[in-house]
Amino acid sequence: MSKPTIVSMPGDGIGKVVLPAAIKILEKAGFEADYVHADIGWEFWEKEGNPLPDRTIDLLEKHKVGLFGAITSKPKTEAAKELSPELQGKGFEYFSPIVGMRQRFQLDLCIRPCRSFKGNPLNFIRRGKGDSIEEPEVDVVIFRQNTEGLYAGVEWTDPPPHIREALNTHPKFKRFNDVPGAGLAISTRIFTQAACDRIVGEAFKYAKKFGYKSVTICEKPNVIRETSGMMLETGRRIQRDYPDIQLWNTNIDAQMMWLTKNPEDYGIIVAGNMFGDIVSDGFAGLVGGLGFACSANIGKEVAVFEPTHGSAPKYEKLNPSIVNPVAMVLSACMMLDHLNETEKSKAIRDAIGKTIAEGKVQAYDMMKLTGGPDVISQGAATTEALANAIIEKL
Ligand code: NAI
Ligand code: MG
């Protein structure tokens, strides 16, 4: 097989630290690839009025696989202020480059595995019988629909008259009829059957391939009857092709309540964009939080792998860096799986597991310290030291 070319997009802040650390680990694991750098993030908003330049899109289009660190984004007014003076007032509008990538390449599957590593001090524990403490092993993979739902961007404050007119044809809109335009904000929740088929279908395929016993549709079909209902019906239909895998159905609110009660019972979870965002953060919190949360955005052609965390500007300038590279490294492992390099991804995950189990080298978050330059004198590892410890276990 020819050597793949990986589009490397460090982005902003700590993205510039964790991505090189992950690439170093990939190299030490024997993964042979070429890396091309691509520009993305705040710097390019300021300088060019576009945080996702066309040249980056072209590189992704050409090479199909991207590793992405993190970006900084800021609210509308701040974004406008920070645009370089010669671009101001020329109609540039900030748009999230992550959402941009997802929409441009139809990266409709967002996969977020949440697996506990034995010995991670951040693992969720709960009270068992008597005085006992239980540490359930969490192994949940969230499949979040990534391009539709409440994040589709079809929304208005003060909707134009023809929209109001159309909405008025729905009997349940009648009670909003008298609300003045400026006092009315509407965000639509759009699901398509094709997208439901794809996310649920891929979730069942994954469950079968990796031996999960259940697929849970986590929505709210008793209230949001049309969209959540479509997802649940899709689950029921597709499950018929997988008699050995159970279909479970939970409501997002109840799921968050049960999160800490029996997280070990869940396997694959499927949800729309918003609920998938919520439930994946919930499960990530049980297995170490942002320092451990990895994700894949997968389309039919292009795939981009990224940690869930952002650019953590607080730590951007710390030298040496103290942030945990594991989330980025686990995202890189998902890339290896995508490229069918599963032996190498397993080797890296095992090396992370051994490093954590041994407990000698820990990032500040694992020691439950408040981040800052002094964590190193308190025994926390630098980003580099933790990456090197993983490499040693390889
Ligand atoms: P954040 O994820 O950047 O950081 C929140 C806090 O989590 C940090 O202050 C730190 O305490 C901790 N943290 C994050 N990553 C860590 C790591 N690898 N190791 C150890 N601790 C870690 O979220 P925040 O502060 O809300 O946003 C900062 C910027 O990042 C904003 O501009 C935001 O828009 C952007 N952002 C970008 C994302 C992305 O690129 N995918 C996702 C979330 C936020
Ligand atoms: Mg989120």
Side-chain angles (χ1 to χ4, degrees):
M1 213 176 76
S2 69
K3 232 185 354 180
T5 298
I6 310 298
V7 181
S8 159
M9 298 172 280
D12 300 309
I14 65 167
K16 292 193 171 100
V17 177
V18 292
L19 184 51
I23 290 178
K24 190 169 154 193
I25 292 173
L26 287 173
E27 280 169 355
K28 297 286 180 186
F31 174 59
E32 287 183 27
D34 293 318
Y35 294 88
V36 285
H37 172 91
D39 296 332
I40 190 167
W42 199 251
E43 188 186 335
F44 304 97
W45 161 249
E46 289 178 323
K47 287 200 294 210
E48 304 174 21
N50 183 3
L52 179 62
D54 288 345
R55 54 188 181 279
T56 298
I57 301 225
D58 292 345
L59 284 171
L60 280 169
E61 182 122 51
K62 181 164 175 210
H63 300 296
K64 315 287 185 215
V65 182
L67 259 188
F68 169 49
I71 50 111
T72 295
S73 65
K74 299 181 188 180
K76 225 170 156 178
T77 44
E78 268 178 271
K81 260 192 239 153
E82 292 185 26
L83 194 58
S84 79
E86 67 273 17
L87 297 179
Q88 299 221 356
K90 294 202 173 140
F92 289 100
E93 208 175 314
Y94 183 84
F95 190 72
S96 160
I98 305 175
V99 178
M101 263 191 300
R102 288 175 184 157
Q103 291 182 353
R104 171 67 180 71
F105 293 110
Q106 273 296 310
L107 306 179
D108 60 336
L109 306 177
C110 180
I111 308 178
R112 294 185 165 180
C114 298
R115 299 187 176 109
S116 46
F117 283 101
K118 272 205 176 65
N120 185 349
L122 299 176
N123 283 347
F124 166 69
I125 56 171
R126 71 181 166 221
R127 189 188 290 277
K129 276 193 184 131
D131 285 335
S132 68
I133 296 288
E134 296 171 348
E135 186 173 328
E137 193 180 327
V138 178
D139 181 353
V140 167
V141 184
I142 287 103
F143 276 65
R144 163 191 174 195
Q145 206 297 323
N146 221 10
T147 45
E148 306 189 336
L150 269 173
Y151 294 7
V154 183
E155 47 184 8
W156 307 265
T157 298
D158 192 0
H162 60 284
I163 300 297
R164 282 194 81 130
E165 217 169 280
L167 288 166
N168 256 327
T169 62
H170 196 292
K172 291 202 171 134
F173 195 78
K174 294 280 182 280
R175 70 195 173 98
F176 301 107
N177 202 5
D178 297 333
V179 180
L184 185 66
I186 294 175
S187 303
T188 60
R189 190 176 203 253
I190 301 173
F191 280 32
T192 64
Q193 186 63 63
C196 292
D197 282 358
R198 177 144 145 97
I199 191 93
V200 176
E202 291 297 319
F204 271 99
K205 263 192 232 164
Y206 188 99
K208 186 174 166 141
K209 185 169 169 191
F210 295 104
Y212 288 87
K213 293 192 297 286
S214 66
V215 170
T216 301
I217 307 288
C218 176
E219 278 285 327
K220 184 94 181 174
N222 54 335
V223 178
I224 316 175
R225 309 182 82 86
E226 304 305 325
T227 46
S228 292
M230 178 182 274
M231 192 71 94
L232 179 58
E233 281 313 313
T234 307
R236 288 186 174 138
R237 169 166 45 78
I238 291 181
Q239 191 272 335
R240 286 183 216 129
D241 298 333
Y242 295 86
D244 299 335
I245 301 170
Q246 293 176 25
L247 179 77
W248 297 354
N249 163 26
T250 60
N251 286 339
I252 178 68
D253 49 343
Q255 180 75 67
M256 295 313 282
M257 187 177 61
W258 293 329
L259 195 66
T260 52
K261 193 170 153 256
N262 58 338
E264 67 272 44
D265 291 346
Y266 296 95
I268 308 297
I269 294 192
V270 183
N273 214 335
M274 169 97 256
F275 295 165
D277 205 2
I278 294 171
V279 76
S280 61
D281 275 12
F283 275 99
L286 305 179
V287 300
L290 287 177
F292 292 86
C294 58
S295 79
N297 302 281
I298 299 184
K300 288 189 177 130
E301 286 197 6
V302 172
V304 175
F305 302 84
E306 55 159 335
T308 303
H309 65 71
S311 61
K314 280 200 279 193
Y315 305 137
E316 174 173 5
K317 298 221 160 70
L318 278 190
N319 188 13
S321 176
I322 58 159
V323 296
N324 190 341
V326 168
M328 181 78 238
V329 179
L330 290 172
S331 307
C333 287
M334 295 185 79
M335 178 187 80
L336 291 179
D337 290 341
H338 179 73
L339 296 169
N340 287 320
E341 295 272 13
T342 45
E343 271 172 38
K344 293 183 180 95
S345 61
K346 184 177 182 306
I348 297 174
R349 288 190 187 105
D350 287 350
I352 295 172
K354 281 182 194 156
T355 309
I356 292 173
E358 202 175 76
K360 281 195 207 149
V361 185
Q362 295 184 329
Y364 82 94
D365 57 335
M366 298 169 70
M367 295 176 69
K368 305 181 189 187
L369 297 172
T370 305
D374 56 330
V375 298
I376 296 171
S377 64
Q378 292 173 266
T382 60
T383 307
E384 196 186 3
L386 182 46
N388 286 341
I390 295 167
I391 288 169
E392 214 168 282
K393 298 292 177 207
L394 269 172

